Amino acid sequence: MAKPVTTLSEFIIEREKDFPYATGDLSQLLTSIRLAAKLVNREVNKAGLVNEILGETEQHSVNVQGERQQKLDVYANERFINAMRNQGAVCAVASEENDDHIVFNNPTSASGKYVVAIDPLDGSSNIDVNVSIGTIFSIYRRLDPGKVTVEDFLQPGNRQVAAGYVVYGSSTMLVYTTGNGVNGFTLDPSIGVFCLSHPNMRIPGDGKIYSVNEGNYFDFPANVRDYIDACKRRKFSARYIGSLVADFHRNLLKGGIYMYPGTTSKPNGKLRLVYEGNPLALLAEQAGGAATDGRTRILDIKPAQLHQRVPLFIGSPAMVEEVMQA
Ligand code: AHM
Ligand code: MG
């Protein structure tokens, strides 16, 4: 007999029972993220068709259904924001695509308990070349029921209620945590349902994969160069997709370290603390891994700005520890 499948919606409801005082708002929020992920997945999968075959690359072109064609990252941004705007649990969203956070003033959502920071489509340089990309999200409880400010988004990562990502890869997966372990769900495209495929994910304590843009090698701090040299001497595998979510996901499954250090010209590196570093750091730690900026645990950094950058070393704990000691 075939093994029974647990769907993401069943799993969310099941887990809600673990919190006796839960109101269902977080479940509702995760459900809206799940829905937006499916819509984005559909568009990502036909990206080549739309751009190359249908010739709809112009910002203002109209597709066969009469919809305006948009760049995929703008599309993803709108899908995720709209999914949350009208369902009541979220009062505000901050996105890599928007300079400021967006407050929902509609009656359904104005009193929402949560704020969500999101990178709607990460790995943008890979969008047009059919290489894996992702969505990253981070959920906080709002600080004051009376008002929403940017401070809601500037809470340290250790205050996250939940975090996760979607990787649009050879298959599409949604991986998330509510602070009680990490679980991964693979989209079955034939029925359009995310199914639990990776229960209780644990990152190997040590690994043999290092992921870093070595083109920047000569601009890295000496200790990072030393660590990269040590990886080479040990004949570790260099694997760098250039999509943070995809690189992180592989290392989570196989063991490894992803690094985006500061460089001489960009001392804080490239990645953003609020919607890239923090959510992945929570997932890493929940899976038994580690994440630092080279000195400080990522989750303990108090963000000063919404789009603040942070050097990132994340993955198997032994590897993260070693690069910090180098
Ligand atoms: P993005 O949010 O503009 O897509 O930038 C983030 C991406 C990460 O996914 C990836 O790991 C990194 O930038 C790659 O940067 P680089 O091309 O400098 O190696
Ligand atoms: Mg990004």
Side-chain angles (χ1 to χ4, degrees), residues 217-229 323 326:
Y217 178 88
F218 292 112
D219 293 335
F220 288 153
N223 69 312
V224 177
R225 293 203 306 264
D226 289 347
Y227 179 73
I228 292 173
D229 295 346
V323 71

Side-chain angles (χ1 to χ4, degrees), residues 96 119-124 134 136 244 270-272 275-276:
E96 178 172 340
D119 183 353
L121 214 52
D122 182 64
S124 35
I136 313 173
L244 172 61
K270 175 181 185 188
L271 301 174
R272 318 293 183 130
Y275 41 79
E276 294 179 323

Side-chain angles (χ1 to χ4, degrees), residues 173-220:
M173 276 191 73
L174 191 152
V175 176
Y176 82 100
T177 180
T178 51
N180 194 10
V182 178
N183 291 281
F185 301 79
T186 303
L187 183 65
D188 180 339
S190 65
I191 49 172
V193 172
F194 281 105
C195 301
L196 180 62
S197 52
H198 295 65
N200 193 22
M201 298 170 83
R202 304 295 297 168
I203 189 168
D206 204 350
K208 292 186 173 170
I209 295 174
Y210 70 104
S211 314
V212 63
N213 185 345
E214 275 194 80
N216 298 326
Y217 178 88
F218 292 112
D219 293 335
F220 288 153

Side-chain angles (χ1 to χ4, degrees), residues 75-115:
Y75 177 89
N77 194 39
E78 287 184 0
R79 281 290 126 343
F80 278 98
I81 292 175
N82 288 344
M84 288 181 266
R85 188 190 298 278
N86 294 315
Q87 51 76 280
V90 181
C91 61
V93 173
S95 163
E96 178 172 340
E97 296 288 330
N98 302 99
D99 290 343
D100 300 313
H101 66 284
I102 298 165
V103 180
F104 298 151
N105 289 317
N106 55 314
T108 337
S109 297
S111 58
K113 275 199 290 208
Y114 297 104
V115 300

Side-chain angles (χ1 to χ4, degrees), residues 11-319:
F11 188 86
I12 290 171
I13 293 164
E14 196 54 42
R15 281 297 160 102
E16 195 185 302
K17 293 191 206 131
D18 295 347
F19 303 96
Y21 302 107
T23 56
D25 286 13
L26 185 61
S27 302
Q28 208 184 347
L29 167 48
L30 292 167
T31 298
S32 63
I33 288 176
R34 180 196 67 176
L35 176 64
K38 285 190 207 171
L39 295 172
V40 172
N41 174 65
R42 190 186 64 190
E43 296 306 304
V44 166
N45 272 304
K46 63 184 187 196
L49 261 183
V50 171
N51 290 327
E52 303 302 332
I53 299 176
L54 304 180
E56 311 225 50
T57 51
E58 292 301 315
Q59 188 77 23
H60 300 298
S61 61
V62 173
N63 72 8
V64 279
Q65 284 96 35
E67 296 160 343
R68 276 189 160 186
Q69 286 303 314
Q70 287 164 324
K71 289 181 67 196
L72 263 182
D73 38 10
V74 178
Y75 177 89
N77 194 39
E78 287 184 0
R79 281 290 126 343
F80 278 98
I81 292 175
N82 288 344
M84 288 181 266
R85 188 190 298 278
N86 294 315
Q87 51 76 280
V90 181
C91 61
V93 173
S95 163
E96 178 172 340
E97 296 288 330
N98 302 99
D99 290 343
D100 300 313
H101 66 284
I102 298 165
V103 180
F104 298 151
N105 289 317
N106 55 314
T108 337
S109 297
S111 58
K113 275 199 290 208
Y114 297 104
V115 300
V116 179
I118 188 158
D119 183 353
L121 214 52
D122 182 64
S124 35
S125 64
N126 284 326
I127 293 175
D128 292 339
V129 290
N130 209 352
V131 172
S132 299
I133 47 184
T135 297
I136 313 173
F137 60 90
S138 164
I139 302 172
Y140 290 90
R141 213 163 264 120
R142 77 192 284 178
L143 294 170
D144 179 340
K147 59 175 194 250
V148 194
T149 72
V150 71
E151 287 304 320
D152 289 297
F153 296 94
L154 302 182
Q155 303 181 56
N158 56 37
R159 307 277 304 266
Q160 287 172 103
V161 173
Y165 61 80
V166 185
V167 57
Y168 311 96
S170 44
S171 60
T172 294
M173 276 191 73
L174 191 152
V175 176
Y176 82 100
T177 180
T178 51
N180 194 10
V182 178
N183 291 281
F185 301 79
T186 303
L187 183 65
D188 180 339
S190 65
I191 49 172
V193 172
F194 281 105
C195 301
L196 180 62
S197 52
H198 295 65
N200 193 22
M201 298 170 83
R202 304 295 297 168
I203 189 168
D206 204 350
K208 292 186 173 170
I209 295 174
Y210 70 104
S211 314
V212 63
N213 185 345
E214 275 194 80
N216 298 326
Y217 178 88
F218 292 112
D219 293 335
F220 288 153
N223 69 312
V224 177
R225 293 203 306 264
D226 289 347
Y227 179 73
I228 292 173
D229 295 346
C231 289
K232 290 181 179 186
R233 276 194 296 275
R234 283 178 264 176
K235 300 199 186 318
F236 283 4
S237 292
R239 292 284 183 273
Y240 190 70
I241 297 167
S243 281
L244 172 61
V245 172
D247 277 311
F248 175 82
H249 182 70
R250 182 205 48 244
N251 293 350
L252 174 60
L253 294 177
K254 295 196 164 184
I257 185 168
Y258 173 97
M259 300 179 273
Y260 209 111
T263 60
T264 33
S265 59
K266 293 181 182 155
N268 291 323
K270 175 181 185 188
L271 301 174
R272 318 293 183 130
L273 174 58
V274 173
Y275 41 79
E276 294 179 323
N278 272 338
L280 295 188
L282 183 65
L283 287 158
E285 288 199 6
Q286 283 292 317
T292 81
D293 69 353
R295 281 192 218 116
T296 309
R297 179 185 177 223
I298 291 289
L299 295 179
D300 286 340
I301 301 172
K302 164 84 178 78
Q305 288 170 353
L306 196 51
H307 298 288
Q308 167 176 342
R309 297 178 196 271
V310 70
L312 182 64
F313 302 85
I314 187 167
S316 293
M319 299 179 88

